[in-house]
Amino acid sequence: MILDELVLHNVGVFRGRHQFTLTPPNPRQPIVVIGALNGGGKTTVLDSLHLALFGSLARTAGRRGSSYQAYLRRLIHHGVPDSEGAAIELAFHVYQEGERRNYRVTRSWASSGSNVRERLDVLVDGRLDRALTDRWAEQVEAFVPRGVAELFFFDGEKIETLAELDNARDMLKTAIGALLGLDLVDRLATDLAVIERNKRTKLAPPAAHKQLEEANQRVRDARTVATTAKQEAARSRTIAERAEHKLRQLEDQLRLEGSDLLDRQRTLEDEQRRLAKALQASDTRLLDLANGAAPLQLVHKQLADVLDVAERELAADEQGQVAEVLARRDEDIIGHLRARRVKKQTVDDLEAFLAQERQERLALAGIEPVIELSAEDTSRLRSLLDHDLDLLAEQVVAAIEERDSLTRQLDDVVHTLAAVPDSRAVEKLAAQREEALSTWTAARSASVQADGQVADADVRVIDAQREMERLLRSATEEVAENDDAQRIIQHSERVRDTLAKLRVEATRRNLHRIETLVIEALQRLLRKERLVTELRINPESFTLELRGRTGNVILPQQLSAGERQLLAVSLLWGLAQASGRPLPVVIDTPLGRLDGVHRSHLMSRYFPQASHQVILLSTDQEIDREAWNELNPHVGHAYRLDFDADAGHTTAEPGYFWPEPTR
């Protein structure tokens, strides 16, 4: 199924005719983004899709328990006469028996006095099909079964509700029952229970009728109380959600005003003093290095030349001293040889040779002294050049880098301190935030109390029903066992027991595939991909059990708020895949309180792959500029809903809040 077009005429905040093209231009761009600020008409778009398809059976956020006619009357744009009315058109196409069939569902209504007249027309391939129109409530189930519709059309509130895992059980039971066709089993069991009750009532003797009627009235009263309690709980939740939304807005505004910096001011001032002291110590170290031998690194080459000259001077001095020693030795040798009357020619030759050698040594020693360093000073200069200066250079570089780092840190702290607002500038916002926190706390408490009253009312309904059943059984015990009505009751009880076992067993046999699809979806979305490795759904209670890589049970409170929301998305995604139905996915305000990484995972791993067609209804805060740049390659159409507060209506324009990045 592909949604091709949605047309709104005088619906909600939309005045006049507004047309949205929804058909994806190609498989690589399945996403349609409709952006609006809060109150701009996003929820009206989602409700309109539900309403066009299901009419009075649609589960819309705007109806809130009111009658269908009252809901339709409220949907007519307040700026037009009720007699002009409103209309929704939804065009889609499906492939049936290998051929494309184009459908257009037009639902229009107008108010006259206390009545609202609704008209429904269903066109197939451009022609009005009156027979299909008359049985549309049954036929739409072939396209979008109401039992699975909430797996494909949902809002951020539903995700946040499912993120509280205790609330997921009812949704899982309903969705899995619809997927497996067990909703028929439930309806059959309910119908059998009604038959049993009617039969038991007929079997009861006349004397018990009054008692039964009183018990039945108690059941009706208990149900009325339960309904009222549920309505009050829904109202309390709405108040709490609005209070929480206002609290978030004020907290965001306080952050923008720099209240967090104001809270950190003393810490920042302490850090400034610490860094200033460390910087002073670093400067002292650099001065100490500069007062020592470190500056000699600047004349390293010249010092090397000095060392070379000094070493040559030392060598020349050594040669001169050696020549003097050799002269005395040679004189002694020649004198000794002459005293021994050695042949004169031999002594003369030896004397000439020794003289020549002394002359060569004296030539080497003939360097004029310039440096005149001692051997000890020359050795110190050699050590300085070979080792000490390199070590000092490393110490200087490290000290300079440390000083640069301290300087940058100090500059950052100084700049941050400069941004700290005057406490008086945020006092009003802080007071509003405290008031909003108090309001939210009270609303949350009232909501919890209302939920408790709902639970108590449900218990009273169950108790009243049990008392009714007990009275019915007691009243019919006197009836003979072979009575037809008694046999019907007994058979019905056995059938209901069998149906209950069938439901559990059918659920058990199909859960593995559903669990696998959900855990695969969750691991694709989670930042910590191996955080949850196993997911189990109890086939009777529909509670969830999560396990980690070591087999340890993961409690819901061990998951962050963002991780629980991703788990809720994974449940919807896995169940949608398990349905095997190629339906579009429509999500209103999809990102909730997810952090940056989890948002990115939804952008890259879920939205482009959730279905062959995905319609996102978002604010500019949810899909911001960065998220838009990431999502844009997958977007086929984009619209922006602009609400004009002065005119009191919304207009739809092509394009999102941000310009398209270069692809």
Side-chain angles (χ1 to χ4, degrees):
M1 179 182 186
I2 292 284
L3 302 179
D4 294 312
E5 185 181 65
L6 175 67
V7 179
L8 303 179
H9 182 74
N10 292 339
V11 178
V13 294
F14 295 91
R15 180 172 184 170
R17 181 181 175 87
H18 298 268
Q19 178 178 337
F20 300 88
T21 299
L22 306 177
T23 313
N26 60 69
R28 295 185 303 278
Q29 295 177 298
I31 298 177
V32 178
V33 177
I34 300 177
L37 302 180
N38 289 326
K42 301 187 307 300
T43 303
T44 301
V45 173
L46 178 61
D47 286 355
S48 296
L49 292 172
H50 277 279
L51 184 60
L53 291 170
F54 301 114
S56 61
L57 299 178
R59 299 172 182 173
T60 60
R63 189 166 176 180
R64 298 289 183 185
S66 62
S67 69
Y68 184 55
Q69 284 205 347
Y71 172 57
L72 290 181
R73 183 180 288 107
R74 287 201 309 272
L75 266 185
I76 300 174
H77 182 71
H78 61 80
V80 300
D82 289 349
S83 58
E84 181 178 339
I88 300 172
E89 298 178 34
L90 179 63
F92 63 91
H93 70 266
V94 297
Y95 285 89
Q96 297 172 319
E97 298 179 354
E99 294 185 3
R100 171 169 170 162
R101 305 298 299 274
N102 296 298
Y103 291 81
R104 180 174 289 269
V105 180
T106 301
R107 197 178 292 273
S108 58
W109 62 95
S111 175
S112 59
S114 60
N115 295 322
V116 175
R117 301 186 310 276
E118 183 186 28
R119 175 186 175 91
L120 173 66
D121 292 314
V122 180
L123 286 75
V124 183
D125 294 332
R127 296 183 179 180
L128 177 64
D129 189 323
R130 181 51 58 191
L132 181 59
T133 300
D134 292 340
R135 53 186 176 85
W136 179 249
E138 296 81 23
Q139 184 61 37
V140 71
E141 292 286 325
F143 301 122
V144 188
R146 281 193 306 122
V148 300
E150 291 191 12
L151 301 178
F152 295 90
F153 297 3
F154 55 89
D155 56 19
E157 181 180 340
K158 185 177 184 67
I159 295 175
E160 291 197 11
T161 300
L162 292 180
E164 302 299 328
L165 298 185
D166 289 341
N167 299 328
R169 287 179 293 183
D170 292 339
M171 187 279 291
L172 283 172
K173 182 177 180 180
T174 301
I176 292 174
L179 292 179
L180 303 179
L182 298 177
D183 49 342
L184 297 177
V185 174
D186 293 338
R187 286 202 295 271
L188 178 56
T190 301
D191 292 344
L192 287 173
V194 172
I195 291 174
E196 290 175 31
R197 189 178 299 111
N198 292 338
K199 289 294 182 182
R200 290 183 187 277
T201 302
K202 290 181 180 179
L203 287 174
H209 282 181
K210 181 178 180 181
Q211 193 175 13
L212 288 172
E213 179 57 33
E214 291 175 350
N216 196 31
Q217 183 60 44
R218 286 194 293 273
V219 171
R220 289 194 294 269
D221 292 344
R223 286 175 177 166
T224 300
V225 171
T227 300
T228 302
K230 289 175 182 177
Q231 291 174 346
E232 178 60 26
R235 189 183 71 84
S236 297
R237 280 195 296 272
T238 300
I239 293 173
E241 288 164 4
R242 289 174 180 170
E244 184 179 11
H245 179 68
K246 183 177 180 180
L247 177 62
R248 287 185 200 168
Q249 286 181 322
L250 288 169
E251 287 177 340
D252 290 342
Q253 193 171 352
L254 274 169
R255 279 193 292 273
L256 290 174
E257 293 291 338
S259 65
D260 56 335
L261 295 179
L262 189 61
D263 295 337
R264 293 171 50 206
Q265 184 175 11
R266 178 169 297 179
T267 302
L268 289 169
E269 289 172 347
D270 291 342
E271 181 69 2
Q272 182 185 23
R273 286 189 289 270
R274 184 190 70 79
L275 290 171
K277 186 175 180 180
L279 185 60
Q280 185 179 8
S282 179
D283 287 341
T284 300
R285 175 164 174 73
L286 278 170
L287 287 172
D288 291 342
L289 289 170
N291 289 331
L296 293 178
Q297 184 69 31
L298 299 173
V299 291
H300 191 286
K301 183 178 182 305
Q302 290 83 349
L303 288 176
D305 294 339
V306 169
L307 177 63
D308 182 59
V309 173
E311 288 179 338
R312 283 192 282 117
E313 288 181 356
L314 285 175
D317 184 58
E318 289 175 359
Q319 291 297 332
Q321 294 176 14
V322 169
E324 291 178 4
V325 172
L326 290 177
R328 291 192 294 271
R329 183 204 64 177
D330 294 347
E331 185 179 352
D332 291 341
I333 291 173
I334 296 299
H336 179 72
L337 291 176
R338 291 186 188 281
R340 294 279 184 168
R341 296 180 181 276
V342 176
K343 188 178 179 179
K344 183 178 183 303
Q345 185 61 43
T346 301
V347 174
D348 290 343
D349 290 343
L350 177 59
E351 185 177 16
F353 172 77
L354 293 175
Q356 178 65 32
E357 183 188 19
R358 290 195 306 276
Q359 192 64 35
E360 290 176 357
R361 288 183 179 276
L362 287 172
L364 292 174
I367 298 176
E368 183 179 355
V370 176
I371 303 300
E372 296 184 345
L373 286 179
S374 66
E376 183 180 355
D377 290 339
T378 303
S379 176
R380 289 176 180 172
L381 181 57
R382 166 61 66 186
S383 176
L384 185 67
L385 290 172
D386 290 348
H387 177 264
D388 295 349
L389 282 183
D390 290 340
L391 180 60
L392 285 170
E394 292 176 1
Q395 293 175 350
V396 169
V397 169
I400 291 174
E401 289 178 350
E402 179 188 31
R403 187 185 190 283
D404 289 344
S405 175
L406 290 170
T407 301
R408 286 194 299 271
Q409 294 179 55
L410 183 58
D411 287 344
D412 289 342
V413 171
V414 170
H415 291 157
T416 304
L417 279 171
V420 173
D422 186 344
S423 60
R424 292 171 296 182
V426 296
E427 282 179 356
K428 184 177 180 180
L429 277 176
Q432 291 176 349
R433 187 257 182 198
E434 290 302 318
E435 182 181 353
L437 177 61
S438 176
T439 302
W440 175 76
T441 302
R444 181 67 176 170
S445 176
S447 177
V448 171
Q449 184 178 358
D451 288 339
Q453 292 173 348
V454 169
D456 292 342
D458 287 340
V459 169
R460 286 195 292 272
V461 169
I462 293 172
D463 290 344
Q465 289 175 333
R466 286 175 178 171
E467 176 64 14
M468 180 71 179
E469 295 294 333
R470 187 190 66 77
L471 288 173
L472 283 171
R473 284 188 172 86
S474 176
T476 55
E477 283 178 354
E478 301 175 2
V479 179
E481 291 186 1
N482 61 351
D483 186 275
D484 287 342
Q486 187 70 23
R487 286 197 299 274
I488 290 173
I489 292 172
Q490 291 171 350
H491 287 309
S492 176
E493 288 177 339
R494 286 198 293 271
V495 170
R496 282 199 297 118
D497 183 60
T498 301
L499 289 175
K501 294 177 181 177
L502 170 65
R503 194 187 206 290
V504 173
E505 187 58 30
T507 302
R508 190 190 311 277
R509 291 188 178 186
N510 289 274
L511 272 184
H512 178 69
R513 177 170 174 267
I514 295 173
E515 291 166 345
T516 300
L517 290 170
V518 172
I519 195 64
E520 287 176 354
L522 179 60
Q523 290 179 348
R524 292 173 70 179
L525 294 180
L526 277 179
R527 179 178 58 202
K528 308 167 188 173
E529 295 185 358
R530 305 300 296 171
L531 173 64
V532 180
T533 59
E534 186 178 358
L535 179 144
R536 290 285 178 265
I537 302 173
N538 187 296
E540 297 183 24
S541 65
F542 293 91
T543 55
L544 287 175
E545 182 181 274
L546 307 176
R547 291 186 179 272
R549 71 186 78 181
T550 61
N552 58 301
V553 174
I554 299 176
L555 300 176
Q557 54 266 33
Q558 293 177 261
L559 300 177
S560 67
E563 288 166 348
R564 290 198 300 272
Q565 288 195 43
L566 289 188
L567 175 57
V569 172
S570 302
L571 286 171
L572 294 168
W573 193 4
L575 289 167
Q577 292 180 84
S579 74
R581 292 182 176 272
L583 295 174
V585 169
V586 184
I587 314 175
D588 182 11
T589 55
L591 297 180
R593 284 177 280 178
L594 294 177
D595 59 32
V597 174
H598 290 141
R599 282 172 176 248
S600 178
H601 282 197
L602 279 187
M603 294 292 174
S604 60
R605 303 180 184 183
Y606 176 55
F607 294 148
Q609 304 172 48
S611 179
H612 58 280
Q613 183 181 30
V614 179
I615 300 174
L616 301 179
L617 306 163
S618 172
T619 67
D620 61 337
Q621 297 297 314
E622 287 194 299
I623 301 181
D624 55 18
R625 187 183 298 272
E626 181 179 354
W628 171 248
N629 291 340
E630 185 174 0
L631 191 67
N632 185 262
H634 308 288
V635 175
H637 301 284
Y639 295 94
R640 184 182 68 255
L641 307 181
D642 293 326
F643 180 73
D644 187 333
D646 295 331
H649 62 79
T650 288
T651 56
E653 301 292 340
Y656 193 59
F657 291 101
W658 324 116
E660 293 194 13
T662 303
R663 296 182 181 176

